[in-house]
């Protein structure tokens, strides 16, 4: 059997299982006596073991096997849960994660796990618990199959009944199939798919029990029921089905719609009660699979769509936005009212469409947050601190592209908060705080932005120290330091080569962290601000755009070319008389609302023409990067527009001060100016 | 049949008075000249970018890339869109109007005479009847590394 086609499924499910193990381990740490949690971890580990063994990843299977043994011992009360034991288990999960990642990256899934395996063995220590595993699992399966037995096609809706009746009139027969997969069948969803494919060849699948969604996500034990309409004889159908491998058994019996309808009346009351029970039970099952979704009902109204398809959809829509821009332009020029109305309507519709498409690409930030609890746990142990991590708003949604990029900066900030922010328990006690520090990770929507806040109740930022450091580093002079506002002082710690930590530790303090964080966030079109009270704690607040693909810009003209400047970095536009321009150290500056702002001639920077503008009035776009400002001199302003961000392709990378391109309504390409690159 | 399988299908294009060929599998399309948006701060032979049916595509001028004298674009000027290692690039040539099969055995290595510098973007020369076709390693044309060498290239 070719395994490659299942690889993707395998990787996805492994990740899910590992994540589940991780989450549950953290729960277990808080409540070591809860054996239900151990059960859940055990189940996830067991699935992982089975899958990896079939896929031929022996290291993965081996490691999970050890893990399972330990967990089993815990379950049977032979081992007590303590932090040392959890450390080893966490370490092994880390290895599992690394192996999975390796496989996902096309590796062979090999990794030296000897050490961890030995540690696990030591914990397990003479208390072999093998053999009980299987029994337990069988018991579990038994329960589940009971559930399915009770509820075969109790809920045919009217539409289905009509279709069934009609097909009988046309000479079709209806069969109810009970298909049982072999115990050791691992990629059950794949088998189900094959069975369905066979059935589609001979007829039509009306309904299945459990539902197709559940079957697809392997949310069932080893057997399932299908209702089929076909012209073939029952024998033929059976023969075809049995050709699919790993099927243990199947029963086929005719299904009579008429008697079903008759029976339904009588059974309705009884059925109701039973269905309710079933729903409850299958709910439990769901929780096992994907914990933390207790409100989820058995039927999930979602479909899985390949991300690539969404990207294509997005691209197509972007084309549409471009054409819409063109149409708007045309309708403006012509005086046709009907055209104008139609275009306006279309704009509204496409605006709605844009919202829907963008939300389709949204993923909860939980994908990033979910790895932090373990990281925090590990770090606090390494640093000898006690920290309670609170996560709020993990379901806040962000565009996939942003999610992919935001992980590393957050890791930096959290490490920073743990290392520099929160004090050691002794110190906290001395200061009259509770020994356990708190770190809050919070995400929420506000307008067109998403905010992510990292707040600790630690030491806060020592302004004096920051200023002194800045002065010794030559970042600013004593005189300058006098006039700084608090926020400006805090911002200093995000300049490169800056670290106020007294000691350089493994975790942070080398002064490479925060400036990287700042740059990354700014490159995403976001910003970061710091609030802090000395001795009380600090808060880093990150503001991120909801999406990166469609942005609002100001179009400007420079000679023949049109350039776009993102609105997010523009403060305002101004027209300045040439006589108002001052010179400071041979640089042109203007007085903008009491501040000295240097001018940047885009013509010079972009080598458009060497001739200085001789006009009396300068059109200036004031842009900012943090607290710094600059005035970009352009020929004229065109206006504000929503544009679709496109890359310059793989060939032209790292073009100075250009962050991308966009296609205008007239089909021409306009370059997008990266104003951050123009301000030092 | 046997010879056919060894044939190399190439798109023929003109540059100055010479004919060049690129294997057809690299070529996405051949476009007429359209408005090019200049991109500042790039190599001189990078003319800018165009809107190729919604995709922003960089354009390089092959004459300048090869160090030939510049020529004004005219009616016969074409942009050949080539794709190599997920880089999609348009190259400006004087004209492109032919697809021919070149038998493998007609391809000779680039001539090595004194005064010519080995340039790895030339894959070989094919002699077909009275035509001489210079076959290009198109991926090498796109790399910027041996920019310095270009100036030394003799006009073969």
């Amino acid at each position: 059997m070719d395994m490659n086609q299942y690889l993707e499924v395998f990787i996805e499910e492994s990740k899910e299982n590992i994540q589940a193990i991780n989450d549950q381990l953290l729960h277990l740490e808080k409540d070591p006596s809860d054996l239900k949690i151990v059960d859940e971890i055990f189940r996830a580990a067991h699935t992982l073991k089975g899958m990896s063994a079939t896929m031929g990843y022996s290291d993965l299977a081996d490691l999970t096997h050890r893990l399972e043994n330990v967990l089993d011992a815990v379950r049977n009360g032979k081992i007590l849960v303590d932090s040392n034991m959890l450390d080893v288990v966490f370490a092994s999960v880390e290895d599992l994660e690394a192996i999975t990642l390796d496989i996902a990256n096309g590796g062979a899934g090999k990794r030296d796990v000897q050490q961890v395996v030995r540690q696990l063995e030591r914990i397990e220590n003479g208390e072999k618990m093998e053999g009980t595993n299987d029994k337990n699992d069988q018991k579990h399966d038994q329960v589940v199959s009971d559930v399915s037995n009770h509820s075969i096609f109790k809920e045919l809706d009217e539409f289905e009944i009509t279709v069934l009746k009609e097909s009988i009139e046309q000479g079709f027969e209806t069969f109810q199939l009970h298909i049982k997969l072999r115990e050791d069948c691992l990629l059950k969803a794949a088998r189900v798919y094959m069975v369905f494919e066979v059935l589609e060849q001979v007829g039509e699948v009306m309904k299945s029990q459990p539902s197709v969604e559940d079957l697809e996500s392997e949310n069932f034990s080893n057997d399932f029921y299908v209702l089929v309409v076909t012209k073939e004889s029952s024998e033929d159908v059976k023969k075809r089905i049995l050709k699919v491998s790993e099927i243990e058994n199947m029963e086929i019996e005719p299904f009579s719609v008429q008697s079903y309808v008759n029976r339904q009346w009588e059974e309705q009351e009884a059925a109701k009660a039973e269905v309710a029970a079933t729903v409850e039970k299958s709910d439990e099952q769901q929780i096992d699979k994907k914990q933390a979704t207790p409100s989820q009902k058995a039927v999930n109204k979602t479909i899985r769509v390949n991300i690539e398809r969404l990207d294509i959809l997005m691209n197509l829509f972007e084309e549409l936005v471009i054409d819409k821009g063109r149409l708007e332009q045309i309708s403006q020029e012509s005086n046709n009212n009907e055209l104008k109305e139609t275009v306006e309507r279309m704009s509204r519709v496409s605006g709605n469409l844009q919202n829907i498409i963008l939300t389709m690409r949204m993923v909860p930030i939980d994908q990033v947050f979910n790895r932090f609890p373990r990281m925090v746990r590990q770090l606090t142990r390494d640093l000898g601190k006690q920290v309670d991590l609170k996560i709020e708003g993990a379901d806040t949604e962000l565009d996939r592209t942003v999610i992919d990029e935001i992980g590393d900066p957050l890791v930096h900030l959290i490490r920073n908060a743990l290392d520099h922010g929160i004090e050691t328990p002794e110190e906290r006690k001395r200061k009259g705080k509770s020994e356990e520090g708190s770190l809050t990770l919070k995400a929420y929507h506000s307008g067109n932005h998403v905010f992510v806040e990292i707040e600790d109740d630690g030491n806060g930022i020592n302004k004096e120290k920051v200023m002194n450091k800045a002065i010794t580093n030559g970042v600013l002079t004593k005189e300058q330091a006098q006039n700084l506002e608090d926020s400006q002082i805090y911002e200093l710690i995000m300049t490169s080569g800056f670290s106020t930590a007294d000691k350089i530790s493994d975790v942070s303090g080398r002064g490479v962290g925060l400036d990287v964080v700042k740059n990354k966030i700014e490159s995403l079109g976001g910003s970061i601000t710091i609030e802090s009270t000395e001795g009380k704690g600090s808060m880093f607040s990150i503001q991120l755009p909801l999406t990166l693909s469609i942005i609002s810009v100001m179009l400007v003209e420079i000679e023949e070319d049109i350039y776009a400047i993102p609105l997010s970095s523009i403060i305002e536009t101004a027209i300045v008389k040439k006589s108002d321009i001052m010179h400071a150290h041979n640089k042109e500056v203007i007085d903008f609302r009491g501040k000295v702002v240097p001018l940047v001639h885009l013509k010079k920077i972009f080598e458009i023409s060497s001739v200085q503008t001789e006009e009396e009035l300068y059109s200036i776009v004031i842009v900012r990067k943090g607290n710094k400002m600059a005035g970009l001199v352009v020929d004229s302003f065109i206006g504000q527009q929503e544009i679709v961000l496109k890359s310059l392709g793989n060939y032209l990378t790292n073009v100075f001060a250009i962050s991308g391109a966009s296609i205008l309504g007239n089909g021409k390409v306009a370059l997008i100016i990266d104003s951050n690159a123009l301000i030092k | 049949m046997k010879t056919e399988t060894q044939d190399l299908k190439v798109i023929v294009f003109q540059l100055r008075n010479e004919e060049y060929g690129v294997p057809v599998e690299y070529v996405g399309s051949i476009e007429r000249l359209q408005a090019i948006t200049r991109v500042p701060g790039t190599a001189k032979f990078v003319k800018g970018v165009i809107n190729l049916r919604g995709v922003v595509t960089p354009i390089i001028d092959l004459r300048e890339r090869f160090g030939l004298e510049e020529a004004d674009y005219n009616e016969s000027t074409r942009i050949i869109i080539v794709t190599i290692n997920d880089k999609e690039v348009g190259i400006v040539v004087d004209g492109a109007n032919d697809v021919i099969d070149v038998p493998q055995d007609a391809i000779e290595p680039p001539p090595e005479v004194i005064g010519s510098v080995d340039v790895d973007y030339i894959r070989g020369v094919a002699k077909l009847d009275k035509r001489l076709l210079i076959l290009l390693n198109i991926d090498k044309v796109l790399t910027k590394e041996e920019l310095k060498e270009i100036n030394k290239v003799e006009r073969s």
Side-chain angles (χ1 to χ4, degrees):
Chain A
M1 187 168 62
D2 182 19
M3 287 294 182
N4 274 336
Q5 51 181 323
Y6 300 125
L7 193 59
E8 223 168 282
V9 181
F10 166 73
I11 290 166
E12 276 309 307
E13 295 196 346
S14 303
K15 279 185 189 160
E16 263 171 36
N17 278 315
I18 292 174
Q19 188 57 47
I21 297 177
N22 251 329
D23 292 349
Q24 296 300 336
L25 279 175
L26 288 165
H27 286 305
L28 185 65
E29 194 178 25
K30 287 202 180 116
D31 188 2
S33 58
D34 193 347
L35 289 184
K36 247 209 249 89
I37 301 175
V38 182
D39 270 345
E40 260 156 42
I41 304 171
F42 184 86
R43 209 165 295 138
H46 187 70
T47 320
L48 192 60
K49 181 180 94 171
M51 288 196 304
S52 46
T54 338
M55 298 296 289
Y57 298 114
S58 53
D59 281 358
L60 198 56
D62 196 37
L63 190 54
T64 29
H65 179 69
R66 301 284 168 199
L67 189 61
E68 218 182 80
N69 285 351
V70 171
L71 291 169
D72 200 53
V74 173
R75 204 159 62 165
N76 290 298
K78 308 267 161 114
I79 300 176
L80 280 180
V81 179
D82 58 27
S83 62
N84 284 337
M85 173 258 169
L86 280 174
D87 273 345
V88 177
V89 175
F90 270 121
S92 65
V93 174
E94 222 162 83
D95 274 334
L96 291 180
E97 226 168 356
I99 296 173
T100 320
L101 200 69
D102 182 46
I103 295 169
N105 291 333
K110 294 272 169 220
R111 188 182 163 97
D112 185 17
V113 291
Q114 283 311 316
Q115 204 196 339
V116 179
V117 166
R118 232 174 292 133
Q119 282 174 317
L120 284 173
E121 266 173 353
R122 216 171 294 152
I123 293 178
E124 196 187 336
N125 207 359
E127 317 196 71
K128 285 268 174 220
M129 284 288 115
E130 260 165 317
T132 50
N133 308 3
D134 296 346
K135 231 186 276 165
N136 273 329
D137 257 43
Q138 261 168 21
K139 221 188 283 163
H140 175 64
D141 284 343
Q142 216 62 53
V143 174
V144 177
S145 56
D146 276 355
V147 173
S148 355
N149 257 327
H150 282 306
S151 56
I152 321 155
F153 310 123
K154 283 283 186 304
E155 301 157 281
L156 286 179
D157 60 32
E158 244 174 45
F159 171 71
E160 281 161 342
I161 293 171
T162 322
V163 173
L164 283 174
K165 279 182 180 163
E166 252 173 38
S167 50
I168 288 166
E169 277 163 27
Q170 284 164 15
F172 282 88
E173 274 192 84
T174 317
F175 294 111
Q176 174 186 314
L177 311 184
H178 177 197
I179 295 163
K180 198 164 172 147
L181 296 174
R182 284 224 312 259
E183 283 290 9
D184 56 353
C185 173
L186 284 157
L187 292 154
K188 293 189 284 188
R191 294 294 159 213
V192 172
Y193 175 74
M194 287 162 92
V195 168
F196 272 61
E197 205 170 55
V198 169
L199 291 174
E200 303 280 5
Q201 279 167 15
V202 297
E204 218 175 311
V205 178
M206 287 305 301
K207 202 174 173 67
S208 69
Q209 177 74 39
S211 70
V212 179
E213 286 97 7
D214 281 351
L215 289 174
E216 258 171 12
S217 51
E218 299 205 346
N219 242 340
F220 67 108
S221 65
N222 286 323
D223 56 347
F224 59 97
Y225 292 81
V226 191
L227 199 58
V228 199
V229 250
T230 175
K231 273 191 169 161
E232 305 275 326
S233 71
S234 62
E235 270 311 300
D236 271 356
V237 176
K238 187 165 183 173
K239 256 188 243 157
R240 278 171 189 260
I241 299 267
L242 287 177
K243 275 195 184 144
V244 177
S245 49
E246 288 196 291
I247 288 190
E248 186 165 289
N249 189 359
M250 82 152 264
E251 287 154 26
I252 184 162
E253 51 191 77
F255 183 85
S256 160
V257 187
Q258 203 48 55
S259 60
Y260 168 82
V261 177
N262 295 341
R263 202 165 13 131
Q264 210 184 19
W265 256 107
E266 301 154 26
E267 282 191 357
Q268 215 166 29
E269 285 312 305
K272 257 185 198 162
E274 214 157 319
V275 166
T278 319
V279 168
E280 237 178 70
K281 275 189 188 170
S282 53
D283 254 6
E284 266 169 42
Q285 214 179 323
Q286 197 106 18
I287 294 163
D288 289 348
K289 260 301 223 216
K290 255 194 155 182
Q291 35 73 47
T293 48
S295 57
Q296 201 178 12
K297 282 277 165 272
V299 180
N300 207 342
K301 283 195 176 172
T302 54
I303 51 163
R304 281 190 194 198
V305 182
N306 194 327
I307 276 171
E308 253 168 56
R309 281 201 204 161
L310 284 184
D311 284 346
I312 295 170
L313 181 64
M314 188 69 192
N315 282 341
L316 287 175
F317 178 71
E318 285 168 358
E319 306 264 304
L320 209 60
V321 171
I322 292 163
D323 288 339
K324 186 197 84 182
R326 175 85 185 123
L327 262 179
E328 277 171 348
Q329 201 178 326
I330 295 171
S331 76
Q332 287 294 325
E333 283 160 12
S334 76
N335 262 333
N336 189 331
N337 272 335
E338 267 178 66
L339 177 66
K340 266 186 197 162
E341 266 171 41
T342 319
V343 170
E344 256 170 45
R345 253 188 70 82
M346 204 187 89
S347 301
R348 263 202 306 278
V349 172
S350 82
N352 290 341
L353 195 58
Q354 177 177 338
N355 277 338
I356 288 179
I357 293 176
L358 288 182
T359 47
M360 259 164 55
R361 292 163 49 91
M362 298 286 205
V363 277
I365 201 167
D366 189 42
Q367 287 198 359
V368 180
F369 280 5
N370 64 22
R371 59 173 141 142
F372 292 143
R374 191 159 54 100
M375 192 189 92
V376 169
R377 178 186 180 277
Q378 189 62 43
L379 275 177
T380 46
R381 289 183 66 85
D382 290 351
L383 293 164
K385 294 178 180 175
Q386 289 174 15
V387 174
D388 176 36
L389 175 72
K390 286 194 208 87
I391 291 183
E392 288 172 35
D395 54 351
T396 307
E397 288 184 326
L398 263 170
D399 193 279
R400 209 190 87 238
T401 36
V402 186
I403 292 271
D404 290 345
E405 303 285 333
I406 193 66
D408 288 346
L410 287 181
V411 168
H412 263 297
L413 289 176
I414 290 175
R415 292 173 87 102
N416 193 63
L418 289 177
D419 197 19
H420 302 320
I422 292 170
E423 313 92 332
T424 54
E426 301 84 58
E427 205 179 328
R428 290 182 67 89
K429 219 171 171 181
R430 214 172 44 234
K431 286 183 180 168
K433 297 181 184 178
S434 71
E435 282 180 39
E436 193 180 53
S438 95
L439 183 70
T440 310
L441 206 56
K442 194 160 122 192
Y444 58 92
H445 280 282
S446 176
N448 253 338
H449 289 90
V450 168
F451 288 83
V452 182
E453 291 174 357
I454 297 155
E455 191 174 5
D456 64 67
D457 69 342
N459 219 351
I461 295 169
N462 186 331
K463 276 185 271 179
E464 288 297 310
K465 211 153 111 188
V466 172
M467 269 199 282
N468 290 338
K469 183 90 180 183
I471 292 165
T472 41
N473 277 5
V475 180
L476 77 171
T477 63
K478 265 187 187 146
E479 291 72 44
Q480 280 174 315
Q482 298 297 319
N483 301 322
L484 286 183
E485 287 168 27
D486 283 4
S487 62
Q488 285 172 309
I489 297 170
Y490 299 144
E491 211 146 282
L492 283 173
I493 67 170
M494 291 189 288
T495 49
S496 69
F498 204 94
S499 175
T500 54
D502 301 324
K503 274 184 296 188
I504 287 176
S505 72
D506 255 0
V507 182
S508 58
R510 278 187 248 273
V512 281
L514 287 177
D515 62 312
V516 177
V517 170
K518 190 171 182 224
N519 285 342
K520 183 90 209 178
I521 287 164
E522 276 171 2
S523 76
L524 288 172
S527 62
I528 176 166
T529 51
I530 304 173
E531 280 169 39
S532 181
T533 318
E534 211 187 325
K536 290 262 175 65
S538 25
M539 180 176 84
F540 289 76
S541 173
I542 300 169
Q543 183 183 356
L544 290 166
L546 274 183
T547 174
L548 296 179
S549 48
I550 295 183
I551 58 170
S552 296
V553 294
M554 162 116 197
L555 294 179
V556 297
E557 205 166 15
I558 305 168
E559 297 275 287
E560 300 280 279
D561 296 338
I562 292 172
Y563 287 84
I565 304 171
L567 275 192
S568 55
S569 56
I570 297 180
I571 298 178
E572 63 176 275
T573 55
I575 292 178
V576 177
K577 276 198 205 128
K578 200 175 178 187
S579 53
D580 287 342
I581 290 170
M582 298 173 288
H583 289 263
H585 198 63
N586 214 13
K587 281 206 178 96
E588 286 180 298
V589 294
I590 53 164
D591 178 11
F592 172 72
R593 303 198 191 284
K595 281 189 174 170
V596 176
V597 174
L599 291 186
V600 178
H601 284 273
L602 288 182
K603 259 185 210 177
K604 259 195 231 157
I605 300 274
F606 292 154
E607 297 156 343
I608 294 169
S609 76
S610 48
V611 193
Q612 274 274 16
T613 351
E614 290 306 324
E615 285 166 54
E616 265 310 295
L617 296 169
Y618 277 13
S619 302
I620 291 168
V621 181
I622 313 272
V623 292
R624 84 187 142 96
K625 175 192 181 185
N627 285 334
K628 291 173 190 162
M629 292 193 282
L632 309 181
V633 182
V634 300
D635 281 357
S636 62
F637 312 126
I638 297 175
Q640 185 182 330
Q641 200 176 326
E642 292 233 307
I643 58 160
V644 177
L645 193 62
K646 302 222 172 202
S647 86
L648 288 177
N650 293 334
Y651 183 62
L652 294 175
T653 48
N654 292 326
V655 180
F656 174 72
I658 300 292
S659 61
S662 178
I663 294 166
L664 299 176
N666 62 8
K668 277 187 85 174
V669 180
L671 300 177
I672 300 166
I673 294 174
D674 175 15
S675 56
N676 285 343
L678 295 172
I679 305 173
K680 254 191 214 156
Chain B
M1 271 316 276
K2 206 183 164 201
T3 47
E4 256 180 50
T5 52
Q6 288 178 344
D7 279 359
L8 188 68
K9 226 182 212 351
V10 296
I11 304 268
V12 180
F13 62 85
Q14 285 81 39
L15 216 54
R16 224 165 51 154
N17 299 319
E18 283 155 9
E19 286 194 307
Y20 291 79
V22 277
V24 74
E25 60 264 29
Y26 292 127
V27 177
S29 61
I30 298 174
E31 307 287 328
R32 283 181 183 279
L33 201 65
Q34 48 175 295
I36 299 177
T37 303
R38 207 183 65 93
V39 179
T42 48
K44 193 163 181 286
F45 60 81
V46 177
K47 288 276 113 181
V49 288
I50 60 163
N51 165 19
L52 181 70
R53 288 177 287 278
V55 179
V56 177
T57 311
I59 300 298
I60 66 176
D61 187 312
L62 213 53
R63 272 179 175 259
E64 288 191 43
R65 175 68 181 85
F66 289 167
L68 307 175
E69 75 273 21
E70 281 180 65
D72 287 337
Y73 297 152
N74 57 35
E75 264 299 291
S76 62
T77 304
R78 291 286 180 277
I79 297 173
I80 302 180
I81 308 293
V82 293
T83 310
I84 288 157
N85 309 334
D86 17 292
K87 292 188 184 105
E88 196 171 48
V89 174
I91 54 179
V92 180
V93 298
D94 291 356
N97 40 27
D98 210 355
V99 182
I100 56 170
D101 291 320
V102 180
Q104 279 292 356
D105 49 17
I107 301 174
E108 288 171 32
E112 288 178 45
V113 276
I114 294 165
S116 73
V117 176
D118 256 357
V119 279
D120 51 4
Y121 57 71
I122 293 181
R123 170 172 166 179
V125 177
K127 197 169 176 300
L128 303 162
D129 299 329
K130 296 220 159 156
R131 293 165 86 179
L132 208 58
L133 203 61
I134 302 159
L135 298 177
L136 292 178
N137 269 335
I138 200 74
D139 48 340
K140 295 292 192 316
V141 173
L142 299 188
T143 53
K144 296 166 186 172
E145 275 84 69
E146 8 76 87
L147 251 179
K148 285 170 220 138
E149 279 182 39
I150 302 163
N151 303 329
K152 291 186 255 164
V153 177
E154 287 292 326
R155 286 139 204 202
S156 49

